[in-house]
């Protein structure tokens, strides 16, 4: 038994001989290490893993800002950047928004589009897996090339993976396009950052023809910029370069570029920026679980060591040096921890796999959180550190075996002699570590509760929503779009079970927004900040009532508010208060920032309604105000006067039940058989979708917090339970001397209270500082919300006291006679 | 073999120092079989632990085979102990998780003997004590007498010059106790010095000298 192998074998045998101890320790470690392994892997994927593009560290995303708003650039701006930039060696513009109808099938199917310049594929290092991508000529100004590249998903789903589709002609919105290529399955398209994975890639030159968009003018900002920095160029230099270009644009085209600026950020930040903070939060949560697990198992090993005091003394008496005793306990603890580590790593890999699939489907297909060798190595490194920590503390205690005390016939272990102070310190640490995720989970839960209970300002029940893209030659005339919408609404209102129906801007709580930059008429507006960006929604007469948005002043739209009538609008209360504080806005006019556009006369005011994405991680990443908080700056225009191609319909059903999709399809097919209904869903499902990320965050943190509390409770139970076992004789003696139940209870609970309170105080301090960092992720709750912290601390104390009750009951049941005889 | 000169052991208490051993001056020659006797609290076990070099916290001089134990560093004291002393305990103190063979091998493993050497020595001892058939059993599978037999075997496995036994028959039936004492006598006759703490006058008759302690003082036997 002198060799290392003998001690390892003894350690393994010891595990089998004490299955309860081994199971508790292994479960604790598996949970801690498993959670940590999966989260480390996720964090690597989100924060550290390179993007799947060549020269990924040089890729940048370009967007624009202007007085009162920020967002896409226009196509000419993209061209301007490409021509003038000294820091970007390649640029591309792309828009991944909207759908086209795959016609010639019944019913027509919708395909999500991405209009890109050919350089887009070149910059991302992507080539078609079959066929080819576009050429520059095919995207040249005025090109009539009708070519399309299918995504791998669309090719397999819509075309059954038929290789013969390359070279064939498909009809999009009734127009013939030749499929020239198919992208590989591995191609991570940037369109997935803000919407569904595109089905079909088309040259930007085809957008006007296919979508009915105006030609490539400055007035239409629909594109994002993509660029690759020249070698050795830093982001800051690129920003300065773009600042100069924006200033030139402002001087050259002041009517469209007043106050205009360009922003550049790394593509990695664009794709992952929103997920960085949640990843760190989850990493912190899993680290706390691991730390509690480590403290717990260390405590368990220490408790067992206290039981083995006689053995350690005996070994010392038989000649074991303190180093040998250290080695013995260290190896035994290592065996235990390594088994837990191995189990935890296996669990972590499985968890990571499941998480990877979940993230791909539910969060973003561009995030690869799967396990890779580096993540696995990092996780194993964490586990090894944990193992060494677990092994070192008890081994250190084992060195100081007291032969005389340990072998005396009447010797009794007492807490301090068996590492009691260390165990109490570990207990305090466990409480402190558990309180941090508990407080964080409390904040997230309150945030989620606030999010889901903040009134949206309109009636969401039984509201079926869907989109139609009125594009192509047939709908180039705005009047044709209005006629189609009116005719469709008339048919829909006749469908049994439909209570009301309206056009409803682009809303549907999605990311897509239409904006208009306005200033009150009659005020000086030569300064860039004179204009305010409002979110624009197109509705039908009676639409606001159909949606349940309360009008507080003025009138609703009527059929007379058509294309021939002066442009009218209804503003939200926040707009009224901001632009005309203390005044009645009805009858006042708003002028537009773009020259030549007619003013809008305000005819009414509504209560604020939350139409847009209420909670977005991109807002968190941009350090902006989360959409659902603060004033809602909206303006409603009659669809008859502002008929966008992409139009959303909202149908209020009389009863809860399945959506009458077939009736709706029949209604639209009667008007245009090539027109598909897109994205048909009840609004409440969209709301649930929108709440998915904060719900997942709150849920994951809550799970981590409950696990932490459970582990801490187990640790406290173990310490107190062992203390009661070790003090049985003392308790029996006290009882024999007349101690009442209250005295015994105080004796048992009292010894745990000090570390509990100290741990809680330390945990509160840590939670307070972390809470400030968490604040950006919260909806309507401060990161330093004291009531949440107090509730978390109180909950943990209750859990801890409950964990003490069972050993305390055992102490109360000690029979003095039996306890004293046992000695 | 052993020379104690003015050895004292005390503990500090609030009311002053409490002495457990007072002014012990004692000589024990090699080959002796000494019994330390006295009432409870007389300091017998404390003296045994000091002799066994488990306890270095005393005043006075302790000379063991010409080495001044009280001047040795703890590590050197432990080395001296490992080379020379074996222990037998009243409660046997076998390790429950180890088999008989492993219990016997344990002291050798702490002396860094090679595995083959250990196997040979343990094999000899198992044979000598007639417990070969029990080598794979755990202590819980043995009777009290058998456990103490293993305890004695373990004490001599590293071939010590001195065996210290603390009430070696205290937990045994009289027949088993007799067998153990006969074994000690035999070991003594083979040259091993034995010092036992005992309450039993009968057990003391197996030895050739009795030292009596009372209230920490040496009452007789020097």
């Amino acid at each position: 038994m002198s060799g290392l192998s003998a001690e390892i074998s003894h350690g393994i045998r010891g595990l089998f001989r004490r299955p309860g101890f081994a199971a508790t320790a292994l479960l604790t470690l598996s949970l801690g290490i498993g959670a940590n392994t999966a989260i480390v892997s996720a964090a690597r994927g989100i924060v550290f893993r390179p993007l799947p593009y060549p020269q990924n560290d040089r890729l940048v995303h370009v967007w624009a800002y202007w007085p009162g708003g920020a967002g896409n650039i226009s196509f000419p701006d993209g061209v301007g950047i490409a021509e003038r930039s000294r820091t970007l060696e390649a640029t591309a513009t792309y828009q991944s928004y909207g759908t086209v109808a795959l016609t010639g099938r019944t019913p027509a199917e919708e395909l999500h589009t991405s209009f890109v310049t050919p350089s887009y594929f070149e910059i991302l290092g992507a080539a078609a897996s079959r066929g080819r991508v576009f050429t520059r000529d095919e995207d040249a100004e005025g090109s009539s090339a009708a070519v399309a590249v299918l995504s791998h998903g669309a090719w397999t789903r819509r075309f059954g993976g038929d290789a013969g589709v390359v070279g064939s002609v498909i009809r999009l919105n009734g127009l013939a396009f030749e499929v020239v290529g198919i992208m590989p399955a591995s191609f991570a398209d940037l369109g997935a950052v803000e919407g569904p994975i595109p089905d079909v890639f088309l040259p930007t030159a085809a957008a006007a023809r296919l979508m009915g968009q105006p030609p490539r003018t400055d007035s239409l900002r629909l594109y994002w910029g993509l660029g690759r920095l020249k070698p050795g160029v830093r982001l800051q230099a690129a920003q300065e370069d773009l600042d100069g270009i924006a200033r030139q644009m402002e001087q050259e085209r002041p009517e469209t570029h007043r106050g205009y600026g360009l922003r550049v950020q790394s593509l990695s930040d664009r794709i992952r920026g929103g997920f960085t903070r949640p990843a760190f939060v989850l990493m912190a949560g899993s680290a706390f679980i691991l730390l509690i697990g480590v403290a717990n198992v260390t405590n368990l090993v220490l408790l067992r060591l206290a039981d083995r005091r006689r053995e350690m003394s005996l070994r010392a008496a038989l000649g074991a040096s303190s180093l040998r005793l250290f080695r013995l306990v260290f190896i035994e603890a290592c065996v235990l921890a390594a088994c837990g580590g191995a189990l935890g790593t296996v669990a972590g890999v499985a968890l990571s796999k499941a998480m990877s699939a979940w993230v791909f489907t539910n969060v973003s297909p561009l995030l690869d959180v799967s396990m890779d060798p580096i993540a696995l190595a990092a996780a194993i490194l964490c586990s090894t550190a944990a193992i060494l920590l677990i092994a070192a503390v008890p081994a250190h205690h084992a060195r100081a075996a007291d032969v005389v005390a340990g072998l005396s016939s009447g010797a009794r272990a007492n807490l301090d002699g068996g590492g009691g102070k260390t165990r109490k310190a570990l207990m305090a640490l466990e409480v402190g570590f558990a309180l941090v995720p508990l407080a964080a989970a409390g904040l997230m839960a309150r945030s989620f509760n606030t999010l889901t209970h903040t009134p949206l300002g309109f009636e969401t029940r039984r509201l079926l929503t869907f989109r139609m893209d009125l594009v192509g030659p047939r709908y180039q005339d705005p009047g044709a779009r209005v006629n189609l919408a009116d005719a469709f609404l008339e048919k829909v209102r006749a469908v049994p079970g439909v209570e009301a129906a309206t056009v409803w801007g682009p809303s549907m709580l999605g990311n897509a927004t239409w904006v208009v930059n306005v200033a009150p008429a009659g005020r000086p507006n030569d300064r860039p900040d004179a204009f305010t960006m409002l979110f624009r929604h197109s509705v039908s007469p009676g639409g606001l009532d159909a949606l349940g948005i309360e009008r507080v002043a003025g009138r609703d739209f009527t059929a007379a508010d058509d294309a021939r009538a002066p442009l009218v609008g209804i503003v939200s209360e926040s707009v009224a208060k901001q632009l005309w504080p203390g005044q009645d806005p009805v009858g006042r006019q708003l002028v537009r920032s773009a020259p030549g556009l007619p003013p809008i006369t305000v005819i009414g005011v509504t209560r604020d309604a939350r139409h847009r994405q209420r909670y977005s991680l991109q807002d968190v990443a941009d350090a902006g105000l989360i959409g659902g908080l603060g004033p809602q700056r909206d303006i409603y225009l009659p669809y008859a006067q502002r008929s966008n191609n992409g139009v959303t319909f909202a149908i209020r059903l009389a009863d809860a039940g399945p959506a009458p999709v077939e009736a709706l399809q029949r209604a639209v097919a009667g008007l245009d058989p090539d027109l598909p209904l897109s994205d048909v869903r009840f609004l409440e499902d969209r709301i649930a979708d929108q709440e998915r990320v904060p719900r997942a965050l709150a849920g994951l943190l809550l799970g981590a917090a409950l696990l932490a509390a459970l582990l801490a409770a187990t640790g406290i139970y173990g310490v107190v339970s062992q203390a009661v076992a070790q003090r049985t004789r003392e308790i029996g003696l006290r009882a024999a001397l007349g101690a009442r139940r209250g005295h015994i209870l105080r004796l048992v609970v009292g010894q745990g209270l000090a570390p509990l309170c100290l741990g809680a105080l330390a945990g509160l301090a840590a939670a307070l500082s972390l809470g400030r960092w968490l604040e950006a992720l919260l909806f309507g709750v401060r990161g330093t919300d004291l009531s949440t912290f107090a509730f978390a601390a109180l909950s943990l104390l209750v859990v801890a006291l409950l964990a003490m009750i069972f050993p305390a009951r055992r102490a109360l049941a000690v029979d003095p006679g039996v306890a004293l005889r046992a000695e | 073999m052993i020379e104690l000169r003015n050895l004292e052991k005390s503990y500090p208490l609030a009311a002053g120092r409490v002495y457990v051993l007072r002014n012990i001056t004692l000589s024990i020659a090699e080959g002796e079989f000494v019994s330390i006797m006295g009432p409870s609290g007389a300091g017998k076990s404390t003296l045994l632990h000091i002799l066994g070099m488990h306890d270095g916290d005393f005043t006075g001089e302790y000379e063991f085979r010409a080495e001044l134990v009280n001047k040795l560093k703890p590590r050197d004291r432990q080395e001296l102990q490992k080379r020379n002393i074996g222990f037998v305990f009243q409660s046997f103190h076998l390790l429950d998780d180890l088999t008989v063979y492993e219990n016997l091998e344990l002291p050798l493993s702490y002396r860094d003997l090679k595995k083959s050497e250990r196997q040979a020595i343990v094999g000899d001892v198992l044979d000598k004590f007639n417990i070969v058939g029990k080598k794979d059993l755990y202590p819980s599978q043995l009777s009290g007498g058998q456990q103490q037999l293993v305890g004695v075997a373990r004490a001599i496995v590293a071939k010590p010059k001195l065996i210290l036994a603390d009430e070696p028959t205290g937990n045994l039936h009289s027949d088993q106790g007799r067998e153990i004492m006969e074994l000690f006598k035999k070991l003594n006759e083979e040259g091993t010095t034995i010092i036992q703490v005992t309450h039993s006058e009968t057990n003391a008759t197996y030895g050739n000298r009795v030292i009596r302690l009372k209230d920490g003082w040496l009452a007789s036997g020097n």
Side-chain angles (χ1 to χ4, degrees), chain A residues 1-2 10 13 17-18 304 310-311 314-322 324 403-404 407-409, chain B residues 49 54 78 81-82 87 89 93-98 102 105-107 109-112 118 138 154:
Chain A
M1 290 291 292
S2 74
H10 188 218
R13 203 195 306 169
R17 286 174 74 87
R18 286 164 198 84
R304 215 180 103 51
R310 184 184 69 92
E311 178 195 332
L314 180 65
R315 284 178 183 271
L318 294 176
S321 63
S322 53
R324 284 298 291 269
V403 177
V404 178
L407 295 182
S408 297
S409 57
Chain B
H49 280 300
H54 295 148
Q78 195 184 31
Q81 181 228 61
K82 266 169 38 174
F87 295 91
F89 306 96
H93 286 331
L94 299 178
L95 292 183
D96 299 336
D97 287 353
L98 303 187
E102 289 166 343
E105 194 188 25
L106 198 63
S109 75
Y110 293 139
R111 284 154 180 82
D112 296 327
R118 297 201 307 266
Y138 285 94
R154 187 180 59 187

Side-chain angles (χ1 to χ4, degrees), chain A residues 345-394:
Chain A
T345 306
V346 170
V349 170
L351 190 61
S352 173
K353 208 169 176 180
M355 199 159 72
S356 176
W358 184 83
V359 166
F360 183 88
T361 313
N362 293 286
V363 182
S364 168
L366 293 178
L367 291 181
D368 179 8
V369 299
S370 61
M371 183 71 74
D372 70 358
I374 293 177
L376 188 62
I380 288 174
L381 204 68
C382 285
S383 308
T384 309
I387 287 167
L388 292 178
L389 204 64
I390 288 169
V393 176

